Each structure stands twice: as C-alpha cells, then as structure tokens.
C-alpha cells in the first residue's frame, strides 16, 4: 500500500469513530498536551487504534487524536507527536499531518517546546514562529511526489514555495489576541535540529550567527508537509529553557516539561481564543 493509501485507511478508521470534519488542526508539543481538555464534545482516539499511525515513545507525549469543537469550530488535536530522533522515517513523522489534511483541516496550529537563543526571549515565554531554518539534514517531502495530498487548488506540486510558510495573516491574529490578553508574544526564527542530544554552546553560537532565535527538534517537517498540501500554518513555540551556553546551566527534559505545565494556562487561553478567529478568517 502506498503512503496515500495508508493515509486514506487511517482517515477511514477515524471517520468510523466520529462524524466531525475538522477545519483546524492543532499539534501539541512537549508539556502542552493539557490543551486537549479544551475540546468540547470530544472523541479521543489512541494513535494505536488508527491504522499506520506512528506511536510516540517520549514521556510527555501521550499519543491521542482528540476530535471535537472549540468555540463551535470543528478541530482535530494531536496530543503528542513522533520525532525523527525516535528513529521514525520522514513519511512516518509526517503521516499524522497528511491524515489531518485528508480529514479536512485547512489551518494548522503547530506548537512546540524550544530553547531560546535570543537573549530577550525569556524562559516561559511564547513566540510566534516567523520562519524556520531546517538543519535536520532531511526533508519531509522526500520521495515520490504525491499530488493527491493537495488540499487546495495549486498545491501538491513537486517544488513548492516556503516564502510565507508561517502565515503573516495568522501571525497578526495571534499578536492581536496576545495584546488583548496582555500576554507577551515575541516573533522569532525557529531552527530545527535532529536531536535527541541538546545542542553544544558552540552550535548555539553558530545558530545565532545564522539568524536563529529558537532551537527545537520538531515542527519543520510537519510545516513542510502542510505547505505541500496547501494548509495555512501558525507556529507557536513555548520557550522552556535558555539554549545551551546562553546561561551557565545544564538542560533537563523534566525542566522542559515543568515549564510547559506552568505556562499551560496562558497558552490555553491564547489558543482557545484564536481557534474561532482563525476558522472564520479562512
Ligand atoms: N534544544 C532543542 N530542543 C529543545 C530545547 C533545546 O534547548 N528545549 C526544548 N526543546
């Protein structure tokens, strides 16, 4: 069975469980999984119950697809994702994103935990991703092109534009809402590495020179595939720690999770308010 066939099989299994056709997809990063409790009329499907879905092996990524509504908007929330550092191939890492597209998602909110490279980006703060630098050494659209994944006219091409991968329109909505809620929201460039080791201080110095504000181990692959399908993207990073060498401290995954939990309320309030605006606007 080819990738498209597998994605169709997954969509079929999900539709057997739930009638909802989600318009907005939300991928929750490390420590941010609690947001899924905001979903009303929720139907929760474990990744293990969906054919061909990869299983998350990381603590803090629970591995459930939650379908329902937020402010009346049909949504699909991924509580947990898989990463390339777990040993998954690119088409497995991005398989859930392909499935979201086939389910009807036209707008993606992708979130992650990230290290802050820029000095004015504090631990615990939220950043709207303006652009990314993919230093993972691979690309999610690798392999035969599959035009049937196109969600809108003109998408699904072999070569596709990444100029406005992170929608300026959605970023403006996010900033306006953050201002209304008096939440500080920076803008920044997210640099992706493969992991799972955190970076060395020399790498972080190099990344700063390259123009990166944040560093993490996810997101870019999902965004590349979303853009291939023609899905509009809003990316939000939660800065869980200063990147290596910025402060003279070591980095622990438990700290990453703890900061996620502490910032969860702000994050949840911002996202809950944004979903209806994003859906109305698209
Ligand atoms: N580096 C890479 N990924 C991360 C970090 C970091 O410092 N913090 C959270 N995810």
């Amino acid at each position: 069975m080819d990738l498209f066939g597998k994605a169709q099989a997954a969509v079929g299994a999900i539709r057997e469980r739930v009638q909802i056709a989600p318009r907005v997809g939300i991928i929750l990063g490390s420590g941010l999984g609690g947001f899924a409790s905001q979903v009303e009329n929720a139907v929760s499907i474990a990744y293990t119950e969906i054919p061909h879905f990869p299983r998350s092996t990381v603590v803090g990524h629970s591995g459930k697809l939650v379908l329902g509504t937020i402010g009346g908007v049909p949504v699909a929330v991924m509580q947990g994702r898989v990463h390339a550092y777990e040993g998954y191939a690119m088409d497995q890492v991005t398989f859930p994103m392909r499935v979201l597209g086939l389910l009807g998602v036209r707008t993606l909110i992708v979130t992650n935990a990230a290290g802050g490279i820029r000095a004015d980006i504090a631990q615990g703060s939220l950043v709207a991703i303006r652009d990314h630098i993919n230093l993972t050494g691979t690309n999610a659209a690798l392999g035969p092109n599959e035009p049937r994944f196109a969600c809108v006219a003109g998408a699904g091409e072999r070569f596709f534009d990444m100029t406005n991968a992170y929608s300026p329109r959605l970023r403006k909505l996010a900033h306006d809402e953050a201002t209304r809620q008096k939440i500080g929201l920076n803008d920044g460039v997210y640099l992706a590495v493969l992991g799972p080791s955190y970076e060395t201080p020399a790498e972080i110095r190099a990344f700063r020179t390259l123009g990166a504000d944040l560093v993490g181990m996810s997101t870019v692959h999902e965004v590349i595939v979303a853009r291939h399908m023609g899905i509009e993207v809003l990316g939000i990073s939660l800065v869980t720690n200063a990147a290596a060498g910025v402060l003279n401290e070591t980095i622990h995954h438990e700290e990453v999770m703890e900061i996620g939990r502490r910032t969860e309320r702000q994050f949840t309030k911002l996202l809950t308010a944004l979903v209806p605006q994003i859906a109305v606007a698209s």
Side-chain angles (χ1 to χ4, degrees), residues 50-127:
I50 307 172
H52 312 295
F53 237 66
R55 287 144 205 222
S56 175
T57 63
V58 188
V59 175
H61 284 262
S62 80
K64 272 188 257 156
L65 182 66
V66 181
L67 293 116
T69 57
I70 292 178
V73 175
V75 297
V77 178
M78 278 177 59
Q79 198 178 27
R81 58 150 67 92
V82 302
H83 306 78
Y85 63 70
E86 294 173 74
Y88 286 108
M90 276 297 102
D91 58 357
Q92 293 175 299
V93 169
T94 55
F95 186 79
M97 190 61 240
R98 294 295 197 190
V99 171
L100 291 188
L102 294 189
L103 278 172
V105 163
R106 294 294 172 267
T107 311
L108 172 72
I109 304 178
V110 60
T111 71
N112 59 54
I117 296 178
R118 215 169 71 207
D120 66 323
I121 293 183
Q123 185 182 43
S125 67
L126 296 173
V127 180

Side-chain angles (χ1 to χ4, degrees), residues 113-115 198-199 215-217 240-241 251 256:
Y198 290 118
E199 302 67 40
V215 60
M217 303 173 192
T240 52
N241 57 279
I251 304 166
V256 168

Side-chain angles (χ1 to χ4, degrees), residues 93-272:
V93 169
T94 55
F95 186 79
M97 190 61 240
R98 294 295 197 190
V99 171
L100 291 188
L102 294 189
L103 278 172
V105 163
R106 294 294 172 267
T107 311
L108 172 72
I109 304 178
V110 60
T111 71
N112 59 54
I117 296 178
R118 215 169 71 207
D120 66 323
I121 293 183
Q123 185 182 43
S125 67
L126 296 173
V127 180
I129 302 176
R130 171 159 41 88
D131 204 345
H132 79 218
I133 299 172
N134 177 10
L135 283 194
T136 65
T138 187
N139 191 290
L142 212 61
N145 188 44
E146 179 48 88
R148 287 176 293 176
F149 279 122
C151 293
V152 297
E157 299 285 335
R158 169 78 296 180
F159 302 104
F160 50 99
D161 187 61
M162 291 290 284
T163 308
N164 284 317
Y166 297 85
S167 162
R169 194 177 70 82
L170 297 184
R171 249 185 315 127
K172 178 162 185 343
L173 287 174
H175 281 294
D176 290 349
E177 183 57 35
T179 304
R180 263 193 293 279
Q181 295 190 14
K182 300 186 170 58
I183 295 173
L185 183 67
N186 263 302
D187 241 29
V189 173
Y190 176 92
L191 184 145
V193 293
L194 189 57
S197 59
Y198 290 118
E199 302 67 40
T200 63
E203 285 168 341
I204 294 301
R205 285 194 298 276
F207 296 165
R208 186 182 293 120
T209 305
L210 292 177
D213 302 311
L214 305 159
V215 60
M217 303 173 192
S218 65
T219 302
V220 296
H221 304 307
E222 290 136 349
V223 171
I224 288 170
V225 163
R227 294 309 296 150
H228 177 256
M229 294 188 284
I231 294 169
E232 212 177 356
V233 176
L234 173 67
I236 305 276
S237 288
L238 164 64
V239 180
T240 52
N241 57 279
V246 173
L247 307 174
N248 198 17
E249 290 169 3
T250 55
I251 304 166
H252 305 282
H253 182 61
E254 294 72 32
E255 179 188 23
V256 168
M257 299 298 302
E258 173 56 26
I259 296 293
R261 277 189 288 274
R262 269 196 258 160
T263 318
E264 195 151 351
R265 235 187 40 169
Q266 254 191 2
F267 170 84
T268 295
K269 207 166 152 234
L270 179 66
L271 246 62
T272 308

